[in-house]
Amino acid sequence: MAIVSLPPVQRLRPLAPLVVRVAAGVILIAHGFHYSPAEFGQLARQAFGLPFPGLIGWAAILLQVVGGGMFVLGLLSRIVAIPAIVHMALALSWEVQFGLAPENTAESIGAQVPFLIMAGFILVLLAGPGPVSLDRLIGWDQRFQSARTDEVVAP
C-alpha cells in the first residue's frame, strides 16, 4: 500500500518545530507574569516543601520569561528544554490532583496545560529546534543534524 505524498504539506514540514517552540515558549512567558518571584517561591515551598523560596522563585520566573523567549527564538533550545521539562513535571504533579480537564477552572487549569507544554519541550529536546531557529543559524545544532534518523529509505 503506497502512502500518498502531499508536496505542499511536505514543504511546510520544517516549520513544525517552530510552531511547537512558539506555542510552548509563549505560554511559558505568559505564566511567568502571573506571579512575582516571592509569590512563586512561597507557592513552591507550600506545595512541594522546597527550600530557598526566594532563589527558587527567581529561577522559575527567569526560566519562564527569559527561557521562554530563548525557546521561541530557538536559542539554546535543547538546554532550555531540560529545566523547562523539570518545571512542567512539577506543575503537572501539582495539577494532576484536580484532574486532566476540571470543570471548575477557577480552582485549577488541570493537568492538560503542563502536560501539553511538557510534550512540546520534550519534542524539541529530542528532535531539535528545526531549521528556522537561531541554534541552526549560528551552527549550535549542526552536530545533531548529521545524526538524523527520520529519513527512511525504502527497500
Side-chain angles (χ1 to χ4, degrees):
M1 180 175 177
I3 298 175
V4 178
S5 176
L6 300 174
V9 173
Q10 292 300 324
R11 284 188 287 240
L12 296 175
R13 185 176 176 195
L15 297 178
L18 173 66
V19 172
V20 171
R21 283 194 347 260
V22 169
V26 166
I27 292 169
L28 196 65
I29 293 167
H31 283 275
F33 290 111
H34 283 183
Y35 301 101
S36 71
E39 290 171 323
F40 196 91
Q42 286 305 317
L43 285 172
R45 173 173 260 170
Q46 291 169 357
F48 301 107
L50 297 175
F52 311 112
L55 179 63
I56 289 173
W58 274 105
I61 298 301
L62 285 173
L63 170 66
Q64 291 174 339
V65 176
V66 177
M70 291 171 66
F71 202 71
V72 167
L73 296 172
L75 180 62
L76 299 175
S77 305
R78 293 177 193 258
I79 294 171
V80 170
I82 294 168
I85 291 167
V86 172
H87 179 72
M88 287 297 108
L90 287 171
L92 180 63
S93 71
W94 174 257
E95 294 292 341
V96 76
Q97 68 181 317
F98 301 106
L100 185 64
E103 290 182 29
N104 181 7
T105 57
E107 184 178 296
S108 167
I109 58 172
Q112 61 191 346
V113 174
F115 184 71
L116 188 57
I117 297 170
M118 186 168 64
F121 286 117
I122 291 170
L123 180 125
V124 172
L125 177 66
L126 298 177
V132 185
S133 66
L134 288 179
D135 285 345
R136 190 65 56 90
L137 180 69
I138 295 169
W140 289 345
D141 204 53
Q142 294 300 337
R143 63 186 165 139
F144 294 105
Q145 219 178 1
S146 63
R148 288 183 58 175
T149 59
D150 62 336
E151 295 180 25
V152 178
V153 178

